[in-house]
Amino acid sequence: MKQAIVLAAFGSRHENAAASLAHITERVRRAHPDVPVCVAYTSKTIRGHLAQAGEAVESVPDALARLLAEGTTHVVVQSLHLIPGTEFHGLLELANELMLREGGFSRVEVGFPLVAGEAGMDAVAEAILSETLKGRGDNDAVLFMGHGTKHDGNVYYEALHQAFQKRDRTVHMGAMEAEPGIDAIIERFTRDGVRKAYLLPFLFSAGWHAARDMVGEDEASWKTRLEQAGIRCEAILKGAGEYDALVDIWLAHLDDAIRRLSRC
Ligand code: CO
């Protein structure tokens, strides 16, 4: 049995995004020193941009084809996505196809994304709260900006918001491209008398979306919108992959997947 781990991230071309990927890759290598680890990006657009800049990163199918040619028999594709949406389900489809193909891998297992199922949501909420700011004032709120998706997986953002609220009424989750959106959040903050918001990305890395859509200077950014509503903002530009408590959860999913590899 020759094993390998592929870390499948959405991908980013923003310079601030590298920290998250470097941190989690290092932790995976330390946890599994005997297994080769490589990184692949699931976003075709990002891979296109990087290839043009001469910094090509493999797609997951390309990384798997290479590993197979190198004699790998058992492989884990670990999702570095935050919720099970389009990208994660794409990995499941690919794994299914590759497992059934003649002359392919003996085993392809996919590790869950950060948020996986009902129990997983509580674990993620607890982990995030363990890392969020202490010593906030009475009129302060903590607001996470998730990506949001048209996929059914979008339900996890609202579910995470509820999981936060059960534990701490001052912590909120919103989504950039879907509901719960910034309009509803501003309405709620205004009603609750929030004067200051700590803005944090609920994204794998603090890349382009954090820089532009969360704290950018243009009119549509969350920071601009909140400030127009009279709410001061302070941003903490750290991606999910930089928080050890969250990386612990990804590593636990990876561990499960590796254990599945050797089950007959
Ligand atoms: Co995006």
Side-chain angles (χ1 to χ4, degrees):
M1 174 158 96
K2 189 176 172 193
Q3 298 186 346
I5 296 168
V6 177
L7 298 178
F10 182 81
S12 176
R13 59 195 159 111
H14 195 281
E15 56 186 324
N16 294 349
S20 270
L21 199 54
H23 180 232
I24 199 164
T25 306
E26 171 58 26
R27 286 210 46 201
V28 168
R29 291 209 163 106
R30 248 190 291 144
H32 302 282
D34 303 326
V35 185
V37 178
C38 67
V39 170
Y41 285 176
T42 56
S43 166
K44 196 175 171 190
T45 314
I46 302 283
R47 277 185 279 113
H49 285 301
L50 286 169
Q52 266 182 3
E55 298 162 29
V57 174
E58 284 178 310
S59 68
V60 180
D62 286 351
L64 290 171
R66 178 178 52 75
L67 290 167
L68 185 64
E70 290 168 4
T72 304
T73 56
H74 293 66
V75 63
V76 170
V77 180
Q78 175 56 51
S79 163
L80 298 186
H81 307 102
L82 278 80
I83 57 135
T86 310
E87 309 286 318
F88 173 68
H89 286 89
L91 296 179
L92 293 183
E93 268 171 45
L94 180 66
N96 178 57
E97 191 190 310
L98 291 176
M99 276 281 287
L100 297 176
R101 194 179 285 173
E102 285 300 323
F105 294 100
S106 304
R107 201 75 157 242
V108 182
E109 290 288 342
V110 178
F112 283 116
L114 180 67
V115 177
E118 207 105 326
M121 198 136 49
D122 286 326
V124 171
E126 299 281 351
I128 289 177
L129 291 173
S130 77
E131 301 255 16
T132 39
L133 319 169
K134 307 271 184 286
R136 272 169 278 137
D138 287 345
N139 299 309
D140 295 353
V142 176
L143 173 58
F144 285 92
M145 186 187 83
H147 193 285
T149 172
K150 292 190 184 76
H151 190 276
D152 291 342
N154 197 65
V155 295
Y156 285 102
Y157 295 106
E158 176 62 30
L160 272 168
H161 175 67
Q162 297 302 338
F164 285 153
Q165 292 283 297
K166 253 197 310 191
R167 294 165 172 85
D168 184 338
R169 298 280 301 167
T170 67
V171 184
H172 306 255
M173 172 69 73
M176 182 188 72
E177 289 182 1
E179 293 304 319
I182 189 65
D183 293 331
I185 290 163
I186 288 174
E187 234 177 81
R188 191 191 315 141
F189 281 7
T190 307
R191 190 185 59 221
D192 294 350
V194 171
R195 306 300 304 277
K196 178 176 177 181
Y198 291 94
L199 284 175
L200 296 96
F202 184 69
L203 299 163
F204 179 70
S205 59
W208 182 241
H209 282 311
R212 184 190 59 186
D213 303 296
M214 197 177 87
V215 300
E217 292 306 321
D218 67 291
E219 275 175 22
S221 85
W222 282 24
K223 178 168 173 272
T224 307
R225 293 287 314 279
L226 286 159
E227 284 175 351
Q228 278 170 356
I231 297 160
R232 281 182 299 125
C233 292
E234 185 177 327
I236 295 152
L237 291 174
K238 251 172 102 173
E242 293 177 75
Y243 290 98
D244 273 316
L246 294 178
V247 173
D248 286 344
I249 293 173
W250 265 300
L251 287 182
H253 294 328
L254 172 61
D255 248 14
D256 287 351
I258 285 182
R259 282 164 52 210
R260 291 199 300 270
L261 281 186
S262 50
R263 297 292 290 236
C264 304

